[in-house]
Amino acid sequence: MGKMQGLAPSGVAVSTALDHQQQLQQQQLQQQQQQLQQPVVGYWLSDKKRKKLNFHVFAELCRSHGIQLVKIDLQRDLEQQGPFQVILHKLTDLLLEADQGNATSTNLVQRFQSYVDSHPETMLLDPLHAVRKLLDRCRSYDLIQELEICRLERAISTPAFVRLNTSDPEEMLELMRERHVTFPFVCKNIVAHGSASHEMAIVFGEAGLRDIRPPCVAQSFINHDGVLHKVFVIGDTFHVVERPSLKNFPAGKSDQKTIFFNSHDVSKAESASHLNARDESQTAEQRQQLSPQVVRRLVEGLRETLEMSLFGIDIIVDRESGHHAVIDINAFPGYDGVADFFPALLMHVQGLLQAHKPSDGVLTNQRLQTPNGQLEPPTTGELIQHHQAQPQQLQQAAACRDQDSASAAGLSALQLPRLSLPSRPHGRCGCTASRSSWPVENGGGSGASHLVPTKRRVHSVSVSPAAAADIGMVCHRVSLVGKGSNGR
Ligand SMILES: Nc1ncnc2c1ncn2[C@@H]1O[C@H](COP(=O)(O)OP(=O)(O)OP(=O)(O)O)[C@@H](O)[C@H]1O
Ligand SMILES: O=P(O)(O)O[C@H]1[C@H](O)[C@H](O)[C@H](OP(=O)(O)O)[C@@H](OP(=O)(O)O)[C@@H]1O
């Protein structure tokens, strides 16, 4: 052994130092081995979205449940960053840039897709081909119309719409007539995602046709008493959050001037523009109610059709007929108002990892291979985890999501017993068409819900506790005025 620097006369100090160094190396080796055993979830979100979601809290929650959450650098070789069991992403902006011809974005999308193609064991939330369906509004609306619950049962639909590619008012009127689009109508961008997509207009008559710039979508305006229902889907669960929305307008043609607005000014929890005047002439009981059964069927239908597990559906209810209308579908929305988003997201990821875990119980990068080398599809009755969290634990998660330094330890004690469900996850995104059996706490009042204190606005959700519990729908209340119950 070479001369030891700093050899103390006793030699004890040095041997202690050696022991200490060996212990450190042993610990590092054990940590590396543990990490090698831990599943790795990669993610890519824009900096803005990552900060808005406080995604570092989700990373902490994953870490406390033995899952490594790794931020993917699209500029570097993904092979050097993986292997990933699951990848979470919102690449909509990149996809849009690539589709609009941006060479750099095209290259990044191609590299990402080729990684995914060469790693069938990696579950993508959500598959790029599925997300692309939601980038074009008309395509989204067509997709809604093709759902069985719309086509056959007419329980829900999307308001009459037409793609306007011409700036000739007469041609516009003809196209509107063909598709039964009526005045007033909402004029929206064809592109459904990205900051530019939220600029809109309400057109009240033929004179207003000169105010819009095709290509765009004209969609009949539905009076809905200024209440928007945001349905946030996370794997096998969905959460309904009420939001302010556009006020009612007189039906039919008028010479009212075109109103221009940004959707983020009228449908956020804190929106309080002159366009948001809520019709207070009706009591909550008189107001048209959201049907939990219709929502559940819609969610199931969209999960099947989209093959996605992280999306949002915007629903308004016609104040006259009570008919439900889907006006928007979003990939990986903001989940604002869903206090237990992170626990639900973790549960979904854990369910995917569990459903694809090799029989020896050790998570490796290798997947079960059938003799012909195909991936073993998850079997029926695959386990998913039923979240038995008590509201206060979910509140902790909510607090975690809103506080930078909060620990998610309160959730680490969560026992996630397993339930089998008669459903089969989709191939790659892992979502299933089954309904969740999410416990619904009777929050009193007209709506059953975890009273989720948020920064603002509470509407009592107009869903009966029994109905909501029946379908496992989580209804969130958001405070009407001022602060939620915890003063936030
Ligand atoms: N057909 C309609 N009838 C009545 N109001 C509508 C209609 N379409 C949209 N709105 C109103 O305009 C708002 C924005 O519409 P939409 O959800 O299509 O925009 P968006 O920018 O895609 O929204 P998001 O913020 O969810 O991305 C809705 O929240 C609702 O208040
Ligand atoms: O209040 P929500 O969660 O509905 O707001 C979403 C919005 O619905 C869209 O999903 C936005 O995505 P884009 O359409 O791509 O702009 C979300 O923006 P993001 O930056 O969070 O993705 C809003 O949060």
Side-chain angles (χ1 to χ4, degrees):
M1 180 186 288
K3 181 173 174 12
M4 291 297 298
Q5 292 299 329
L7 186 63
S10 65
V12 172
V14 170
S15 63
T16 309
L18 269 178
D19 291 348
H20 184 58
Q21 191 181 4
Q22 281 163 354
Q23 279 171 5
L24 274 179
Q25 284 168 349
Q26 188 63 24
Q27 282 167 4
Q28 282 166 357
L29 191 61
Q30 281 167 355
Q31 278 170 3
Q32 282 163 7
Q33 280 167 345
Q34 271 174 4
Q35 283 188 353
L36 279 175
Q37 298 301 323
Q38 287 184 347
V40 179
V41 174
Y43 78 93
W44 193 92
L45 298 172
S46 67
D47 289 344
K48 174 191 157 206
K49 191 170 185 75
R50 195 163 38 82
K51 288 172 187 148
K52 192 160 69 171
L53 286 172
N54 278 331
F55 215 63
H56 64 281
V57 174
F58 182 62
E60 173 53 34
L61 187 62
C62 289
R63 243 191 308 280
S64 64
H65 286 75
I67 293 172
Q68 288 182 64
L69 191 68
V70 173
K71 186 168 178 283
I72 291 172
D73 178 351
L74 294 174
Q75 309 286 347
R76 286 177 44 227
D77 180 2
L78 269 73
E79 291 295 349
Q80 304 305 317
Q81 302 175 62
F84 304 107
Q85 277 74 38
V86 176
I87 292 180
L88 300 167
H89 73 87
K90 181 161 188 178
L91 288 168
T92 45
D93 286 342
L94 198 67
L95 289 172
L96 281 170
E97 288 163 9
D99 291 352
Q100 286 153 9
N102 181 304
T104 306
S105 303
T106 302
N107 179 42
L108 292 176
V109 169
Q110 283 170 347
R111 281 168 52 179
F112 181 85
Q113 187 61 57
S114 63
Y115 175 86
V116 171
D117 293 343
S118 52
H119 289 269
E121 76 282 4
T122 299
M123 289 166 281
L124 193 52
L125 303 184
D126 283 302
L128 297 191
H129 74 270
V131 173
R132 278 202 169 91
K133 294 175 192 171
L134 300 182
L135 296 182
D136 177 301
R137 280 189 206 278
C138 292
R139 195 171 173 197
S140 294
Y141 298 151
D142 285 336
L143 189 146
I144 295 288
Q145 300 292 42
E146 286 151 21
L147 292 177
E148 186 175 292
I149 188 173
C150 299
R151 211 165 20 88
L152 301 182
E153 300 172 38
R154 304 194 181 289
I156 193 166
S157 63
T158 195
F161 69 95
V162 65
R163 184 189 291 257
L164 297 178
N165 290 320
T166 170
S167 51
D168 178 298
E170 285 309 315
E171 289 178 11
M172 287 183 190
L173 287 171
E174 180 54 29
L175 288 168
M176 285 172 62
R177 273 190 290 272
E178 285 170 9
R179 293 291 295 257
H180 311 294
V181 175
T182 53
F183 287 107
F185 66 77
V186 187
C187 180
K188 309 180 184 181
N189 278 310
I190 299 277
V191 173
H193 275 276
S195 48
S197 70
H198 306 300
E199 297 298 337
M200 308 190 158
I202 307 170
V203 179
F204 296 90
E206 293 169 19
L209 295 176
R210 297 194 182 286
D211 297 330
I212 57 180
R213 294 285 167 273
C216 58
V217 185
Q219 184 181 60
S220 299
F221 185 94
I222 305 290
N223 279 329
H224 54 287
D225 287 345
V227 175
L228 171 71
H229 303 279
K230 306 280 289 189
V231 180
F232 291 115
V233 178
I234 307 156
D236 287 321
T237 66
F238 61 87
H239 306 245
V240 181
V241 175
E242 272 194 15
R243 288 279 184 79
S245 188
L246 287 179
K247 65 183 181 181
N248 297 330
F249 289 98
K253 219 182 282 187
S254 78
D255 55 5
Q256 153 106 32
K257 287 195 178 310
T258 301
I259 294 174
F260 297 92
F261 69 98
N262 184 301
S263 63
H264 285 185
D265 296 335
V266 299
S267 349
K268 291 299 182 188
E270 68 279 5
S271 296
S273 95
H274 67 285
L275 293 174
N276 283 124
R278 193 172 166 155
D279 181 340
E280 303 299 354
S281 63
Q282 294 177 316
T283 62
E285 286 64 37
Q286 288 170 323
R287 203 165 291 133
Q288 294 290 357
Q289 306 219 6
L290 186 72
S291 159
Q293 287 76 13
V294 170
V295 172
R296 176 171 62 80
R297 302 278 311 290
L298 172 69
V299 169
E300 287 182 347
L302 277 175
R303 272 202 201 105
E304 282 290 332
T305 301
L306 290 173
E307 293 183 274
M308 289 175 71
S309 53
L310 297 177
F311 58 96
I313 315 167
D314 294 353
I315 302 175
I316 56 179
V317 181
D318 185 316
R319 74 184 308 265
E320 303 301 334
S321 65
H323 188 75
H324 290 32
V326 178
I327 54 171
D328 192 21
I329 311 175
N330 293 298
F332 205 138
Y335 292 97
D336 186 26
V338 181
D340 38 10
F341 169 50
F342 286 161
L345 182 59
L346 172 64
M347 189 178 75
H348 179 55
V349 168
Q350 286 179 317
L352 293 178
L353 293 171
Q354 180 67 31
H356 293 82
K357 188 156 73 173
S359 55
D360 63 7
V362 173
L363 261 180
T364 65
N365 184 26
Q366 301 312 314
R367 288 287 314 289
L368 292 178
Q369 298 283 336
T370 50
N372 60 4
Q374 293 305 313
L375 288 175
E376 185 65 28
T379 54
T380 305
E382 283 292 339
L383 303 176
I384 72 157
Q385 291 167 344
H386 179 89
H387 201 308
Q388 294 284 13
Q390 295 310 314
Q392 63 277 15
Q393 285 172 306
L394 295 179
Q395 305 280 348
Q396 280 173 4
C400 293
R401 229 189 115 195
D402 293 340
Q403 293 160 17
D404 283 339
S405 55
S407 151
L411 286 171
S412 56
L414 274 190
Q415 299 309 318
L416 295 173
R418 300 180 182 292
L419 278 183
S420 65
L421 279 179
S423 62
R424 289 179 63 82
H426 279 290
R428 293 297 299 278
C429 62
C431 65
T432 64
S434 63
R435 72 186 176 95
S436 64
S437 53
W438 187 275
V440 178
E441 185 72 20
N442 180 348
S446 64
S449 69
H450 299 296
L451 182 60
V452 179
T454 63
K455 302 178 187 78
R456 316 156 196 91
R457 310 188 73 78
V458 167
H459 293 293
S460 66
V461 179
S462 54
V463 169
S464 72
D470 167 56
I471 64 154
M473 180 165 124
V474 179
C475 309
H476 290 274
R477 297 163 183 243
V478 283
S479 61
L480 260 181
V481 179
K483 303 236 180 256
S485 63
N486 67 347
R488 261 207 322 259

